[in-house]
Amino acid sequence: SRQKGTVDVSLEGAKPYLSISAGHYAKMRRLYARHGGAAGATDDRGFHEALYCCLARYEALKGAGYQCAVPGSAFDVLRPKLGHTIECFASPLNCHYDRFCSAFGPLEECFGSLGSFF
């Protein structure tokens, strides 16, 4: 990676590449292992292709910074009161729970998306 604490993601090692924090990379890996199908835990190529496509979609939208996300501490307070729940408007990059609704369900289902809330 070009910067400490980041991971560069590309398709088959070729440019262009997209950078993601090491923490987000680990989170996406965990979500993919849990929801990516039978081979989710061991399919490195499938994971990197899905991750690259997801990152490229958000990069194309220039989505950094315009989401009004609830902080994780709020979810921690609500979960005992509401029980098991999902997020209605999230992405695999900002979700707090493993199951969530997102704008790009078909692309993000391997990371736990249930599709559109609508």
Side-chain angles (χ1 to χ4, degrees):
S1 111
R2 296 173 297 147
Q3 291 183 324
K4 185 177 181 180
T6 65
V7 177
D8 293 334
V9 181
S10 67
L11 295 177
E12 299 182 9
K15 289 184 179 181
Y17 54 86
L18 300 167
S19 296
I20 184 173
S21 73
H24 275 107
Y25 181 87
K27 175 184 181 177
M28 297 293 277
R29 170 66 84 180
R30 180 182 53 78
L31 290 170
Y32 187 82
R34 195 167 286 165
H35 303 289
T42 59
D43 181 14
D44 282 343
R45 183 176 180 172
F47 166 68
H48 283 108
E49 286 178 0
L51 177 59
Y52 185 86
C53 290
C54 184
L55 293 175
R57 175 77 56 101
Y58 285 102
E59 176 65 22
L61 294 175
K62 300 292 185 199
Y66 66 77
Q67 297 179 358
C68 295
V70 175
S73 57
F75 285 107
D76 294 338
V77 169
L78 291 173
R79 188 170 194 156
K81 296 178 184 327
L82 299 175
H84 294 284
T85 187
I86 63 168
E87 294 169 78
C88 297
F89 303 97
S91 80
L93 296 165
N94 74 355
C95 66
H96 188 73
Y97 299 125
D98 282 353
R99 301 300 278 177
F100 54 91
C101 296
S102 68
F104 310 114
L107 177 67
E108 298 171 345
E109 67 185 356
C110 62
F111 298 110
S113 175
L114 298 168
S116 173
F117 174 75
F118 301 106

